[in-house]
Amino acid sequence: MNLAVGPVVLSVVGDAYLDPAQIASVLWVGTTTAGDRVELRERESGNLLWECLTDSTSTYLGKTFGPHGMAAPGGFQLAVIGAGRVLVYLKEPG
């Protein structure tokens, strides 16, 4: 298993994390335009994991998925991004 140190950084459509994961939180950061959006999807199934839309030009938006996290058994990938970067924080195994 490819355990990440720090966040997994996704910045262009198609960036992906290939291993099964439990996502603890997601943070979208950067300079954006109102109406920019981001989609994070489960890599194998294509199911939507997280979607966000910005209403300003300075983005710092995120979501924490609670103590159990969100499962991404086939990994995850960035499906849409208008601008900025997405930081995905994984739960530690165990």
Side-chain angles (χ1 to χ4, degrees):
M1 180 180 281
N2 181 14
L3 297 178
V5 176
V8 176
V9 179
L10 309 172
S11 57
V12 297
V13 170
D15 280 356
Y17 184 83
L18 305 179
D19 292 326
Q22 277 302 110
I23 299 171
S25 61
V26 178
L27 183 62
W28 180 20
V29 298
T31 303
T32 59
T33 302
D36 279 349
R37 86 187 167 92
V38 68
E39 284 184 12
L40 185 65
R41 293 190 173 268
E42 205 271 344
R43 194 177 62 80
E44 289 182 356
S45 70
N47 290 337
L48 182 65
L49 297 172
W50 184 70
E51 177 181 37
C52 196
L53 177 72
T54 186
D55 62 357
S56 68
T57 59
S58 183
T59 298
Y60 189 83
L61 299 167
K63 171 77 177 164
T64 299
F65 296 106
H68 300 291
M70 176 184 287
F76 53 86
Q77 74 180 44
L78 193 58
V80 173
I81 189 164
R85 300 178 304 153
V86 175
L87 311 176
V88 181
Y89 294 86
L90 303 179
K91 291 186 60 66
E92 291 185 24

